[in-house]
Amino acid sequence: QVQLVESGGGLVQAGGSLRLSCAASGRTFSSYRMGWFRQAPGKEREFVAAISWSGNTYYLDSVKGRSTISRDNAKNTVYLQMNGLKPEDTAVYYCAATTYSSANDRAYDYAYWGQGTQVTVSS
């Protein structure tokens, strides 16, 4: 099992940047495929980005070019750097982990979830 704790959310003006972090417990972090999802009020949870154990990445089209997912296996941490934030990026952002090597944008492929961190972008 792995436990996930997100941090780094907050209030930022449109055009600003935030870096979200997700610290994972466990000794086998490097074997997990990691993802970031978000959920805005009244909307379904939405995929944002994913990264394999080797660093291959996959993004939601609307954040591609503005966001970068990365991981530091030595620190058991995955990051989501978000630039050029827009009000429509406002949501609770969740970190997720899976051992399913083909997982990308389907939330049900991820077995482990953090509690989420709020990102609010003001216009």
Side-chain angles (χ1 to χ4, degrees):
Q1 279 201 349
V2 62
Q3 293 184 327
L4 306 172
V5 179
E6 303 96 334
S7 61
L11 173 64
V12 63
Q13 289 188 332
S17 299
L18 282 174
R19 188 176 82 154
L20 307 183
S21 299
C22 173
S25 65
R27 295 174 293 176
T28 59
F29 172 77
S30 61
S31 66
Y32 286 92
R33 188 173 185 89
M34 303 298 296
W36 284 98
F37 289 75
R38 65 187 181 187
Q39 189 165 18
K43 295 188 177 181
E44 292 187 354
R45 192 164 296 190
E46 175 184 52
F47 168 78
V48 178
I51 187 167
S52 71
W53 67 270
S54 62
N56 292 324
T57 57
Y58 184 71
Y59 295 94
L60 175 70
D61 283 347
S62 64
V63 305
K64 199 175 297 183
R66 300 190 293 121
S67 298
T68 303
I69 187 171
S70 61
R71 67 190 297 162
D72 185 336
N73 289 334
K75 296 183 177 179
N76 282 11
T77 302
V78 62
Y79 305 97
L80 183 67
Q81 175 69 44
M82 301 187 294
N83 302 319
L85 283 162
K86 304 175 181 180
E88 52 264 42
D89 294 318
T90 295
V92 177
Y93 282 69
Y94 297 91
C95 175
T98 180
T99 56
Y100 179 40
S101 61
S102 297
N104 275 318
D105 57 355
R106 300 180 304 188
Y108 60 76
D109 283 336
Y110 292 80
Y112 306 103
W113 292 84
Q115 293 300 306
T117 185
Q118 177 71 47
V119 171
T120 303
V121 185
S122 63
S123 57

